[in-house]
Amino acid sequence: MRAETLKGHLDFLLLATLADEPAHGYRIIEALKRRSAGAFDLPEGTVYPALHRLEQSGLLASSWVSASGRRRRVYRLTARGRRGLSGARREWRGFTKAVEAVVA
Amino acid sequence: MIERYLRELEAELGAVGIRGSLRRRILAETADHLRETGDVARFGESKLIAARFADELATNGARRVAYTSFLALAPAGIAYAILLGLIRTWPDITSVKVLPLAIATALTVVLAPQVAFATGLLTVARAWRLRSETAVPAAEIGVLRRRAAVALGSGAAAFTGIAVYAYEYSSGLPSWWTTTAFAVSGAVLVPIAGAAVALARNARVRPQASGSAGDLFDDVAPLLDLVPFRLRGRPWRFCLLVAVAVAAAALIAGGPDEGPRNAVFEFVAVCAGFAGLGRFLGLRR
């Protein structure tokens, strides 16, 4: 899938990826790839500006975590991020239902 | 290979104004990622990544600064209205200490709040219009920053003016009013200064996305439908409409003695402001 197609949905996808557990950038990208069966294969570096922006907006929080001798920036959803994700999910389900009704 | 990429990214981030702890953090995250994958090519060209950081952080930050500026100025506007409303009898100009300073202060106290109010609203209107955008053209962010800067500067000038006014006209004003004016001016300048610091921080980041900034009509598009004649693309017609509305308000508020003079003054001030600041604030192209 082209990165351009994903552009409007990247924030939603990142929030959804972090819904289950906190993760660092590389793991988030891998999860996106795995859960989409390879469809969401983005230029990896472009995910980090989005993560920083979501943190700036208060939807994510992050902290350095040391594991296996490496320091990693781990991102997690904030309460505001969870509310944002719930709203985005509702909106997305309504949208896909409507589109499905038209194109089916 | 990884070290070379990190050096390039460091330079590119510096070129777009991302420095200090934020740059160190981005480089640390990138280093961690690249050591995991070992694939520099998949990460993306360093120039592109730096530009992406600048565009996204500048857009989001400028929007937040716009709202912060408005939140800092809104209580200041209420405080201004209450403070001036408490003056029962306006002091005579002969009671001042330094006449030129007193005249300049009085003009500032009258004009600066109006500029702050108008640009504050325009700042929020632009931020609201861009609310769902992740990255907008650098020109759009420039307009947003300039509007916020003018709004905050005018707000600060208004309250500095009030403090000077209280000092200059102190012999013709009740002492409780001058004390209150000093206290309120100090109190409202703190959040304004805080918003100005946030704006200055955001202005260090230089977004790279190209495109036009739009104009006033893009910001107030929903309102244009309420007007029974064509305004879009005619900025001076819009300016005259606003100037007439402001002059009418001044005429009514000033009464038969001062109303006509105030109306002319306000009409000229609105047109002069539009002529002087119109392009700078993205009101006309």
Side-chain angles (χ1 to χ4, degrees):
Chain A
M1 192 174 287
R2 288 166 54 196
E4 201 59 29
T5 316
L6 262 180
K7 212 173 170 185
H9 308 295
L10 183 58
D11 291 4
F12 176 32
L13 292 169
L14 291 175
L15 295 178
T17 306
L18 285 164
D20 298 334
E21 57 175 351
H24 54 81
Y26 175 68
R27 190 186 282 180
I28 295 168
I29 294 163
E30 283 299 301
L32 264 177
K33 228 184 291 181
R34 194 183 61 248
R35 286 161 71 167
S36 69
F40 300 157
D41 194 6
L42 296 161
E44 294 171 354
T46 59
V47 170
Y48 288 91
L51 289 170
H52 278 244
R53 178 172 44 74
L54 290 170
E55 184 178 354
Q56 195 184 47
S57 300
L59 298 170
L60 297 181
S62 74
S63 55
W64 289 111
V65 172
S66 291
S68 315
R70 293 172 78 155
R71 279 178 83 233
R72 302 193 124 145
R73 194 77 183 185
V74 171
Y75 293 87
R76 63 185 177 282
L77 280 185
T78 60
R80 196 172 159 203
R82 285 198 185 281
R83 285 196 299 275
L85 176 60
S86 301
R89 274 186 174 140
R90 268 197 308 278
E91 210 171 284
W92 177 253
R93 283 176 186 142
F95 174 75
T96 51
K97 203 172 153 188
V99 170
E100 192 63 32
V102 173
V103 300
Chain B
M1 188 77 167
I2 292 174
E3 294 307 318
R4 190 173 147 203
Y5 181 86
L6 291 172
R7 278 197 300 278
E8 280 174 15
L9 183 59
E10 185 178 18
E12 294 294 351
L13 288 168
V16 296
I18 296 175
R19 294 169 187 273
S21 59
L22 177 58
R23 179 165 67 172
R24 285 196 294 278
R25 178 181 151 187
I26 292 168
L27 290 170
E29 286 187 86
T30 306
D32 178 48
H33 183 102
L34 293 178
R35 280 172 196 135
E36 189 77 49
T37 64
D39 192 344
V40 168
R42 281 195 56 79
F43 198 78
E45 196 190 329
S46 57
K47 195 178 178 70
L48 173 88
I49 300 301
R52 196 75 171 252
F53 265 108
D55 290 340
E56 295 202 19
L57 296 181
T59 299
N60 201 40
R63 202 166 37 217
R64 288 162 62 81
V65 163
Y67 293 132
T68 307
S69 301
F70 190 77
L71 287 177
L73 287 168
I78 294 166
Y80 173 88
I82 293 172
L83 258 183
L84 295 200
L86 287 172
I87 300 178
R88 290 279 164 254
T89 312
W90 290 90
D92 192 90
I93 199 155
T94 54
S95 67
V96 300
K97 295 180 171 71
V98 184
L99 186 61
L101 179 62
I103 292 170
T105 304
L107 279 173
T108 305
V109 168
V110 171
L111 289 175
Q114 297 184 55
V115 176
F117 178 72
T119 48
L121 284 180
L122 288 168
T123 310
V124 168
R126 174 67 55 119
W128 181 252
R129 176 164 74 76
L130 304 175
R131 65 191 177 282
S132 57
E133 303 289 336
T134 55
V136 299
E140 288 260 30
I141 295 170
V143 166
L144 204 48
R145 286 170 175 169
R146 288 197 294 275
R147 285 183 184 179
V150 170
L152 291 169
S154 305
F159 276 90
T160 306
I162 282 187
V164 176
Y165 182 89
Y167 171 75
E168 275 294 315
Y169 290 83
S170 55
S171 62
L173 288 163
S175 61
W176 64 264
W177 191 90
T178 54
T179 309
T180 308
F182 288 138
V184 170
S185 298
V188 302
L189 284 172
V190 173
I192 290 175
V197 169
L199 174 62
R201 281 200 188 125
N202 177 261
R204 286 204 291 253
V205 179
R206 290 186 288 279
Q208 305 295 301
S210 57
S212 81
D215 61 16
L216 174 70
F217 301 106
D218 298 315
D219 297 330
V220 298
L223 298 178
L224 295 181
D225 299 336
L226 304 175
V227 184
F229 46 87
R230 185 179 154 80
L231 277 176
R232 185 175 277 280
R234 292 177 167 83
W236 280 104
R237 188 181 279 189
F238 185 89
C239 167
L240 288 175
L241 188 71
V242 173
V244 166
V246 172
L251 183 68
I252 294 164
D257 294 336
E258 296 184 352
R261 185 196 61 195
N262 291 353
V264 172
F265 177 78
E266 289 290 350
F267 184 87
V268 172
V270 170
C271 292
F274 195 83
L277 293 171
R279 283 194 203 284
F280 183 69
L281 296 176
L283 305 180
R284 56 195 169 94
R285 291 174 198 264

